[in-house]
Amino acid sequence: ILNVEQSPQSLHVQEGDSTNFTCSFPSSNFYALHWYRWETAKSPEALFVMTLNGDEKKKGRISATLNTKEGYSYLYIKGSQPEDSATYLCAFTSGTYKYIFGTGTRLKVLA
Amino acid sequence: DVKVTQSSRYLVKRTGEKVFLECVQDMDHENMFWYRQDPGLGLRLIYFSYDVKMKEKGDIPEGYSVSREKKERFSLILESASTNQTSMYLCASSLPGYGYEQYFGPGTRLTVT
């Protein structure tokens, strides 16, 4: 059974803190890993699509790394702001239309 | 601005009713998806469509059917709603093939009483 796990489930950080969370996925038959941000009352939106081992992607203060051999990806947020408060989802695919989503990490940034 | 819209944000239906959830995308995407999200679980795929009139079952298709008569519209049908179908339903679309980012609608929170 393929499983994607995210940790921690939730965290609270102070404005200005840097933080990171983890997505663990099957290390065999890797095709792509997605990161999404889901703000309350809004649609999930894609942050990164990662396909190659060693990939590092960056968008503003948010970056992500990928290790397909050991089956994990890290998402980093530098200098967290209240507007970063959201649930961050990762999703794994082995090259089919089926994506396996993690349960997400709920981030709350306190002003 | 690309957009996926869903017909309702909140819906309350009675057990046994037939329920239609509509999704429309304006990006000319071939792929469209229906997911449900429940507390403590990741998004789970109900059905997938890769073209007009084409569909594939996802992980939890039981109790659901879908319709895709036009490229931009993908409907999820609950033939006879049951209380265990109370959930958040999300529609998404993407470019054809695998691995492309998905564009999501805002979700429909369905309550079946």
Side-chain angles (χ1 to χ4, degrees):
Chain A
I1 295 176
L2 299 178
N3 199 29
V4 171
E5 295 185 357
Q6 292 188 247
S7 62
Q9 279 191 328
S10 66
L11 74 162
H12 291 66
V13 301
Q14 291 294 133
E15 183 177 356
D17 286 352
S18 294
T19 187
N20 65 85
F21 13 98
T22 305
C23 173
S24 300
F25 53 85
S27 56
S28 59
N29 299 318
F30 176 86
Y31 189 86
L33 186 90
H34 296 185
W35 280 101
Y36 293 89
R37 174 170 58 200
W38 192 0
E39 295 178 66
T40 303
K42 293 188 178 180
S43 307
E45 61 176 23
L47 289 170
F48 304 114
V49 174
M50 309 186 80
T51 56
L52 296 174
N53 184 44
D55 246 358
E56 289 189 27
K57 302 235 175 177
K58 188 174 181 183
K59 186 184 286 190
R61 294 179 292 97
I62 304 177
S63 60
T65 60
L66 179 69
N67 183 324
T68 62
K69 295 187 188 307
E70 295 181 43
Y72 64 84
S73 176
Y74 294 138
L75 190 81
Y76 300 92
I77 302 178
K78 186 177 178 182
S80 302
Q81 299 297 310
E83 58 265 30
D84 296 327
S85 296
T87 296
Y88 291 83
L89 302 175
C90 66
F92 161 89
T93 179
S94 59
T96 75
Y97 57 87
K98 290 189 179 182
Y99 290 77
I100 305 167
F101 283 79
T103 54
T105 293
R106 285 184 301 280
L107 174 67
K108 176 75 173 175
V109 182
L110 305 169
Chain B
D1 194 23
V2 298
K3 201 172 262 189
V4 178
T5 56
Q6 296 184 226
S7 48
S8 306
R9 291 301 297 269
Y10 299 94
L11 206 53
V12 180
K13 295 291 181 181
R14 292 192 184 276
T15 301
E17 279 193 83
K18 191 168 186 175
V19 181
F20 293 87
L21 303 183
E22 306 283 343
C23 174
V24 178
Q25 50 96 2
D26 65 0
M27 295 162 281
D28 203 35
H29 283 166
E30 279 76 7
N31 291 349
M32 295 189 75
F33 306 78
W34 273 107
Y35 294 95
R36 65 178 278 177
Q37 201 243 353
D38 298 292
L41 299 175
L43 296 180
R44 292 182 293 166
L45 181 66
I46 305 172
Y47 266 100
F48 162 72
S49 170
Y50 56 91
D51 203 349
V52 174
K53 297 191 187 296
M54 307 307 289
K55 62 187 180 186
E56 297 281 348
K57 291 180 180 179
D59 296 315
I60 49 165
E62 297 79 18
Y64 304 94
S65 61
V66 289
S67 171
R68 192 158 178 210
E69 297 295 321
K70 293 185 178 181
K71 191 176 185 181
E72 67 271 17
R73 188 180 297 269
F74 191 33
S75 302
L76 181 69
I77 303 155
L78 287 66
E79 295 290 343
S80 177
S82 63
T83 54
N84 62 13
Q85 293 178 309
T86 292
S87 187
M88 167 72 90
Y89 291 88
L90 284 156
C91 174
S93 71
S94 77
L95 289 169
Y98 308 126
Y100 291 103
E101 68 181 276
Q102 295 184 35
Y103 294 84
F104 285 88
T108 295
R109 187 165 292 283
L110 172 68
T111 302
V112 182
T113 60

